[in-house]
Amino acid sequence: MNGMETDHYYMGLAIEEAQKAAAKGEVPIGAVIVCRDRVIARAHNLRETTQNAVTHAELLAIQQACEELGSWRLEDTKLYVTLEPCPMCAGAILQSRIPHVVYGARDIKAGCVDSLYRLLNDERFNHQCEVTENVLADECGGLLTQFFRAIRENKKKKKRQL
């Protein structure tokens, strides 16, 4: 596989994780961490399930990868995530030394890789990341659009029933 095919394959796995989140009523965001062509972590959002603000897909995947590798330094990895990371997740990416992040859809309200800030490329930090954006962006964004559309429709139905 060439680079683009590889990125599409692993983003497809992240999309599968996002679909698991949606099935649980979670915002459909999924993440996969790859080390030397091997998936070492897979996760999806669990904030509603755990009622814990930090159980974002990226953080859960980083935690798994650290356990798998026995190190907090994830220097030989690549993170695939369906939505542009927020400031908390971007910070964890920098702290764990992930060298390359691939994401699907931009997050114009909270994205801190390209949309609001460029935290992963800020030279004031002691670590920066290579970033690849818009990989399967339509599919990733579509999951979010469908999810939030369904929530709005359910709210309208409930209002009409009152």
Side-chain angles (χ1 to χ4, degrees):
M1 283 191 286
N2 67 31
M4 186 185 304
E5 289 171 339
T6 300
D7 285 349
H8 283 199
Y9 173 75
Y10 290 121
M11 187 61 74
L13 297 179
I15 289 170
E16 288 176 11
E17 288 297 317
Q19 291 166 335
K20 290 177 189 177
K24 295 176 181 176
E26 297 279 352
V27 176
I29 301 170
V32 171
I33 298 179
V34 177
C35 182
R36 295 184 205 99
D37 298 321
R38 183 173 68 90
V39 175
I40 61 167
R42 297 173 69 123
H44 52 272
N45 270 13
L46 289 174
R47 281 195 318 181
E48 296 301 325
T49 302
T50 63
Q51 288 299 297
N52 184 329
V54 300
T55 53
H56 286 205
E58 299 96 308
L59 296 183
L60 294 169
I62 288 169
Q63 210 168 15
Q64 283 178 32
C66 290
E67 289 173 17
E68 175 69 21
L69 296 178
S71 177
W72 63 269
R73 291 179 184 91
L74 302 178
E75 296 170 325
D76 217 10
T77 65
K78 198 171 194 179
L79 168 67
Y80 292 84
V81 61
T82 56
L83 185 67
E84 178 183 2
C86 72
M88 176 176 64
C89 293
I93 290 163
L94 291 171
Q95 290 298 314
S96 61
R97 307 298 193 266
I98 294 173
H100 194 156
V101 173
V102 179
Y103 72 87
R106 277 199 174 194
D107 184 352
I108 59 170
K109 294 182 179 180
C112 285
V113 175
D114 287 308
S115 295
L116 298 177
Y117 298 99
R118 292 178 169 265
L119 292 180
L120 299 185
N121 298 114
D122 190 325
E123 292 182 2
R124 293 174 293 178
F125 292 120
N126 65 338
H127 176 73
Q128 291 83 41
C129 296
E130 182 179 344
V131 174
T132 304
E133 66 173 316
N134 295 322
V135 174
L136 300 180
D138 291 341
E139 292 89 335
C140 295
L143 285 171
L144 291 157
T145 301
Q146 291 169 359
F147 179 80
F148 288 112
R149 182 178 294 139
I151 287 175
R152 285 190 300 275
E153 287 173 8
N154 285 337
K155 283 182 181 177
K156 285 180 187 177
K157 284 180 189 175
K158 285 180 182 177
K159 248 185 180 176
R160 281 185 242 141
Q161 291 173 350
L162 294 176

